[in-house]
Amino acid sequence: MRATVKALVVVAVMMIAALAGSRAYGQGGATGAINLTVEDSSGGWIAAADVQVIDARTETVARKVQTGADGTINIALLPPGKYRLVVNKAGFSEARASNIEVRITETTSVTIALKAGAVTEKVEITAEVMTINTTSATTGESIGSETVRTLPLATQNFQQLLTLSGGAQSDLNASGQLGRGDVRIIVNGQREDNNNYLIEGITATDYNVAELTNTPLPNPDVIQEFKVQTSLYDASQGRNGGGNVNAILRSGGKEFHGDAYEFFRNDKLNANEFFQNSRGNPRPVMKQNIFGVSAGGPVGTEKMGFFFFNYQGTRQRSGLSPGILISTLLPVLPADRSMAN
C-alpha cells in the first residue's frame, strides 16, 4: 500500500514538473511571446540581467524575469498588445525599449544592447526587433484593430476580412442581403467545415458545420486582433486541418476611453441597378443603420482591474435581399372542387 501511494506521489510530482516546464515555452491560442536577447556593445551575452515586461496599455508589470547563461529569455503566454521592456544589470546603464508588439500565436524576437555605465543612468534605446517569424513555420496573417476598423464592411462582420490572409478565399458577399453577412471561408482548397474558430482562446466553432453560423459574433469595435493560420500550426492551436481563426477582444486601460458610432446606408444615396433600370423598375428600398457605443477604463484603482463595455444595434430593410416578402394572404379555395384534377 505504501509503495502504491509513493508511486502515485512520484507520478503527480512528475506531471506537475512537466506542466511547469512546458508553461515556460508553450503558446496558447490567445497569447504570444517575446524572445529577448541581451548583449553588451561588443555583442557579448549578458547573463542574469533583470528584465521587466510592462504592459503599455495598463502601465502594470506583466512579468519579471532574468536572462539565462546565453543572455536570452523566452517570455511566453503574453496577451497580445504593446509592451515596454526595462533591463538592468550591475555595471550597465538601465535600458528601456518601447513599442514592442506581441501578436497572437507569434513570437517577437528582440535584441537589446546595454551600455556600460552607472546603474542609476537610464537610457531609452531602440530595440532591434525581428519582424520575420523565425521560431515557427506556421503560415498566416495577423490583422490588427486599425485595419478592422478602417476597411469597409457591408454588415460590420469581421469575417469578411478573413480572406486577407494568403491561401484563404470566400464567395463574394451580397452587400444588399439582410443579416450579418456570414462568410463561407475556404483555406487551401479544403472544405469550410475543416476550419476551427477561437475567440479569446476558447473554441467557438459550430460543430455541426464547423463555422460561426449560429455563434454570437463580436463587432469590429470589440476586436483587438485576429489571425488566420493557414498551415503548419501545431495541435495546441486547432483541431482540424483547415484554417485556424483566432480572435482577441479589446479590454480597458489605465485611462477612460469611449466612443459612439453609426454606419448607415440609404437607397437615396445609391444609383439604381442596371437591370432594374432596363425593366423600368425604381430603386429598391435599402436602409441599414448599425450603431453602438464603447467604453473602457480602470475599475476604481488599477489593482481592482479594468473594464470594457460595448453595445451594438442593427436595423435593416432591404428590397435587394431575397426572401424578405412574406404574404399573409391565403389562396381562396372554390366551394365545388369536384372538377379539380
Side-chain angles (χ1 to χ4, degrees), residues 220-337:
D221 204 58
V222 176
I223 291 179
Q224 174 180 323
E225 178 184 355
F226 72 84
K227 182 175 182 179
V228 182
Q229 295 174 303
T230 53
S231 66
L232 299 178
Y233 51 84
D234 59 59
S236 67
Q237 303 296 325
R239 66 183 184 89
N240 293 333
N244 188 49
V245 181
N246 290 270
I248 300 298
L249 309 184
R250 291 173 57 189
S251 58
K254 64 175 183 176
E255 298 178 352
F256 289 99
H257 289 281
D259 60 19
Y261 58 89
E262 180 175 4
F263 299 90
F264 79 97
R265 300 171 63 191
N266 194 293
D267 54 83
K268 301 299 182 184
L269 305 176
N270 301 336
N272 200 3
E273 292 187 346
F274 172 81
F275 295 104
Q276 296 283 353
N277 272 330
S278 65
R279 292 192 293 266
N281 296 330
R283 285 177 299 187
V285 174
M286 177 59 198
K287 302 183 188 302
Q288 177 177 279
N289 297 80
I290 300 177
F291 51 90
V293 61
S294 298
V299 180
T301 63
E302 294 183 359
K303 292 183 179 180
M304 296 179 63
F306 306 88
F307 77 93
F308 182 79
F309 163 82
N310 173 269
Y311 166 80
Q312 178 171 292
T314 301
R315 305 291 184 268
Q316 293 176 316
R317 285 188 294 161
S318 176
L320 296 172
S321 183
I324 63 170
L325 178 61
I326 302 176
S327 175
T328 58
L329 299 177
L330 298 176
V332 178
L333 299 178
D336 184 8
R337 297 190 295 274

Side-chain angles (χ1 to χ4, degrees), residues 117-137:
V119 179
T120 56
E121 183 182 356
K122 299 179 181 180
V123 180
E124 189 74 24
I125 67 171
T126 302
E128 181 183 343
V129 180
M130 184 175 295
T131 57
I132 300 175
N133 185 13
T134 60
T135 61
S136 172

Side-chain angles (χ1 to χ4, degrees), residues 65 171 175 197 236:
V65 294
D171 299 331
S175 61
Y197 296 89
S236 67

Side-chain angles (χ1 to χ4, degrees), residues 11-83:
V11 171
V13 171
M14 291 178 64
M15 290 179 65
I16 293 173
L19 289 174
S22 63
R23 182 179 176 83
Y25 297 96
Q27 291 296 323
T31 61
I34 296 176
N35 193 26
L36 174 64
T37 301
V38 179
E39 57 187 31
D40 57 24
S41 56
S42 64
W45 296 330
I46 298 180
D50 295 320
V51 181
Q52 293 185 59
V53 184
I54 300 175
D55 190 335
R57 176 180 53 85
T58 61
E59 289 296 332
T60 57
V61 178
R63 206 74 56 85
K64 289 183 179 181
V65 294
Q66 272 193 345
T67 57
D70 59 353
T72 65
I73 180 67
N74 184 280
I75 310 167
L77 301 176
L78 292 173
K82 290 187 177 182
Y83 291 85

Side-chain angles (χ1 to χ4, degrees), residues 1-10:
M1 185 67 179
R2 287 184 178 179
T4 303
V5 173
K6 186 179 293 185
L8 290 175
V9 171
V10 171

